[in-house]
Amino acid sequence: MSRKRQPIEPHRIKSVEPIKQLSAHEREQRIVEARYNIFRIDAQDIFIDLLTDSGTTAMSARQWAALMIGDESYAGAASFRNFERTVKDIFRKRFVIPCHQGRSAENLMFSTVVEKGKYVLNNTHFDTTRGNTLHKGGIPIDLPCPESTSDEMEPFKGNMDTEHLEAFINEHGAESIAMVVMTVTNNSVGGLPVSMANIHATSEICRRHNILFFFDGARYAENCYFIKRDEPGYGNKSVSDIANEMFECCDGVMMSAKKDGMANIGGFIALNDEDLYQRVTELMIIIEGFPTYGGLAGRDLEVLAVGLREAQDFDYLDFRINQVAYLGEQIKQAGMPIVEPTGGHAVFVDAGKFLPHVPPNEFPGQSVAVEFYREGGIRMSEIGSLMFGGKDPNTGEELIAVRELVRLAMPRRVYTNSHYDYVADVAARIADRRDSLTGYKVVHQTAILRHFTCDLEPLAHKKVHS
Ligand code: F0G
């Protein structure tokens, strides 16, 4: 019988970090002590950590070398110039504002452009983007394409619903909209990509209505890989050419460089408008740092200058996207339904389908996440009604997520295929006793981003009728 070939790492290992597995009894103690909130468990008590692909990247030998030549001058450091040159080259903008991570870029941008009651439209807001919009009194609106939640194997299910976008603008008026944001890849619907055609269409609508159009570019390089692989006309273009074409379409970019910056910390805003640049910069000096370091050390900027280019390497991207697909296939074979096709940075288990006996307001995603820790010391995050539900602070309405997902996010260059085979074995053991999994209730929470700090309790087990 022929065996499916595993994707082969285009790198070898130079430095290792031990990980250890706690006993089942110790894991049970930890999850109870953490009040069933996975964010509260100490990393040393985790065997395989798939909580996020953000800031968890293994740096390359070239990045470690770059760290040593960081220029720590307060103003005008050589490392900033190097970083600035790299960002301008990739993102095609006149001004570059470094920030310590993505959400500080969001805070700076939204504090500057979002007024109370104004809309921010996004193919789908990530939680911090939504939180920052709400925090400034703005109203976040998600406009994912209808295919985003279908079971079809469409290649670009991360797209913006441009018909809906146009209709929304016509109904509410362009002046009610602070900005339109395109998130690439679309994290919240499964790390799924946006096509270049959709980017051009969205850009055209924003230009015609004179609305500010920004990218949330956290995983832009992974998105470019999908365009190259799956969109007609792009197969012979380089990742870097595709990135240039993408960013020529917008007024600016906010980026958490903890993802496709291949770094453990960092972010930036890149934009063209000088007046906006001045206004953001004024604010940043108060809250983030001098404009040539933005809350980062010189060595961080130097590491980012290398990492931003490494993320565009085709062999690296080809391996990464295939490793995600490989894990997805294994999890599916283990008996857990997943979001298909798999995206760029994670496998998303459809916990709503996996646990039909647990309704959305009892958080089936959290139930699956807790069980992965219990069964195998694996950590991951719920992306469902625990993250997106709760009371809307503007309207008071009780919200429910579109889908109940659990995200197995894959850190860049960190885990090998055998680690992921282990994850699939654990998934199979959970699938075998899925009827015994219960829902949860929230017993303590905050108004915004409650999933980070809330306390939960398991609900009594309900008899499952099959
Ligand atoms: N935008 C997107 C699409 C993100 O996925 C994130 C972070 C941010 C913005 C905020 O960036 O963390 O640097 O402040 N996502 C992480 C995740 C946390 O796990 O998906 P940050």
Side-chain angles (χ1 to χ4, degrees):
M1 196 178 86
S2 74
R3 207 164 63 87
K4 191 172 178 326
R5 190 174 72 79
Q6 295 190 351
I8 298 173
E9 287 84 352
H11 47 252
R12 55 187 176 182
I13 296 166
K14 195 163 199 157
S15 173
V16 296
E17 192 180 8
I19 49 175
K20 89 172 169 32
Q21 176 72 292
L22 297 183
S23 68
H25 176 70
E26 287 167 323
R27 294 198 300 270
E28 188 61 37
Q29 275 182 326
R30 296 295 184 284
I31 193 74
V32 173
E33 282 160 14
R35 280 154 276 152
Y36 300 94
N37 187 333
I38 316 278
F39 285 95
R40 225 179 249 123
I41 297 178
D42 278 349
Q44 65 172 11
D45 297 337
I46 307 286
F47 187 47
I48 307 269
D49 202 346
L50 307 181
L51 188 60
T52 180
D53 62 317
S54 179
T56 50
T57 301
M59 290 210 296
S60 68
R62 286 189 59 235
Q63 285 178 296
W64 283 109
L67 200 77
M68 293 301 293
I69 56 168
D71 175 355
E72 305 302 341
S73 306
Y74 190 91
S79 297
F80 172 69
R81 295 295 169 218
N82 196 7
F83 168 78
E84 184 187 39
R85 238 187 339 270
T86 308
V87 173
K88 282 185 177 175
D89 193 33
I90 298 171
F91 299 89
R92 300 305 218 218
K93 298 289 164 262
R94 289 171 63 206
F95 302 104
V96 177
I97 301 166
C99 308
H100 80 272
Q101 63 182 87
R103 69 199 72 183
S104 61
E106 291 158 14
N107 184 13
L108 289 168
M109 266 314 293
F110 296 156
S111 296
T112 311
V113 304
V114 177
E115 290 160 33
K116 196 167 166 38
K118 292 270 162 100
Y119 295 104
V120 176
L121 312 183
N122 198 318
N123 47 343
T124 316
H125 287 83
F126 186 65
D127 59 351
T128 60
T129 324
R130 167 179 297 278
N132 260 307
T133 304
L134 289 168
H135 190 248
K136 316 304 173 234
I139 307 169
I141 304 285
D142 291 336
L143 300 174
C145 65
E147 306 84 66
S148 66
T149 48
S150 80
D151 290 331
E152 301 298 312
M153 290 296 278
E154 302 277 338
F156 293 105
K157 287 161 74 172
N159 281 352
M160 176 89 73
D161 183 340
T162 47
E163 252 176 58
H164 199 161
L165 173 67
E166 184 98 56
F168 191 98
I169 299 169
N170 289 334
E171 188 186 340
H172 297 268
E175 61 295 337
S176 72
I177 298 163
M179 67 196 296
V180 171
V181 180
M182 184 70 102
T183 304
V184 287
T185 55
N186 191 339
N187 187 1
S188 310
V189 304
L192 298 172
V194 176
S195 71
M196 191 67 89
N198 188 252
I199 290 168
H200 281 296
T202 305
S203 169
E204 189 276 320
I205 294 171
C206 292
R207 290 219 166 126
R208 186 153 37 81
H209 291 277
N210 203 17
I211 299 172
L212 199 62
F213 178 41
F214 264 60
F215 271 82
D216 175 342
R219 300 180 182 84
Y220 87 90
E222 289 163 4
N223 202 101
C224 290
Y225 173 89
F226 284 110
I227 290 175
K228 180 174 169 66
R229 194 188 70 182
D230 297 332
E231 190 160 352
Y234 289 90
N236 291 326
K237 296 204 168 149
S238 68
V239 171
S240 133
D241 286 345
I242 294 170
N244 286 164
E245 181 176 336
M246 180 186 253
F247 295 119
E248 292 286 1
C249 293
C250 68
D251 301 305
V253 182
M254 295 174 280
M255 175 157 175
S256 165
K258 298 171 72 173
K259 286 89 169 165
D260 280 352
M262 309 293 275
N264 303 122
I265 196 74
F268 61 86
I269 301 169
L271 44 73
N272 276 334
D273 184 278
E274 188 159 6
D275 174 58
L276 194 53
Y277 168 70
Q278 297 296 357
R279 287 194 286 146
V280 172
T281 304
E282 249 172 62
L283 186 62
M284 93 172 274
I285 295 176
I286 304 167
I287 62 175
E288 189 75 354
F290 192 74
T292 62
Y293 73 83
L296 293 166
R299 54 181 167 273
D300 297 326
L301 293 164
E302 203 67 56
V303 160
L304 281 167
V306 178
L308 283 163
R309 296 225 189 259
E310 285 183 352
Q312 297 197 333
D313 179 78
F314 179 80
D315 292 340
Y316 152 72
L317 283 170
D318 190 48
F319 163 70
R320 174 157 177 79
I321 305 302
N322 281 311
Q323 196 184 38
V324 175
Y326 174 77
L327 175 63
E329 192 52 42
Q330 304 287 100
I331 296 277
K332 210 167 84 169
Q333 279 176 16
M336 286 191 180
I338 62 165
V339 173
E340 288 187 282
T342 45
H345 69 289
V347 172
F348 289 69
V349 170
D350 192 329
K353 278 193 195 151
F354 182 60
L355 301 179
H357 59 287
V358 180
N361 61 356
E362 295 180 7
F363 315 119
Q366 188 65 11
S367 179
V368 171
V370 166
E371 226 49 37
F372 264 102
Y373 182 71
R374 237 191 209 129
E375 184 69 43
I378 302 163
R379 174 158 70 172
M380 60 194 59
S381 64
E382 188 260 13
I383 304 221
S385 291
L386 186 60
M387 180 178 275
F388 294 116
K391 267 200 178 30
D392 184 319
N394 288 330
T395 64
E397 184 193 349
E398 205 51 52
L399 304 168
I400 284 289
V402 181
R403 276 189 302 179
E404 302 303 323
L405 305 178
V406 190
R407 187 185 71 169
L408 287 72
M410 299 166 69
R412 292 168 183 75
R413 306 188 289 213
V414 171
Y415 293 117
T416 62
N417 296 327
S418 66
H419 289 119
Y420 291 121
D421 285 345
Y422 167 79
V423 173
D425 288 346
V426 171
R429 294 206 293 272
I430 297 170
D432 282 347
R433 56 181 177 75
R434 63 163 75 170
D435 291 350
S436 70
L437 270 57
T438 69
Y440 283 79
K441 71 171 177 192
V442 176
V443 290
H444 175 260
Q445 61 184 308
T446 52
I448 295 183
L449 302 180
R450 64 173 174 174
H451 56 287
F452 288 130
T453 53
C454 66
D455 297 341
L456 296 133
E457 268 176 18
L459 292 162
H461 185 250
K462 289 182 206 152
K463 194 153 175 46
V464 178
H465 304 283
S466 45

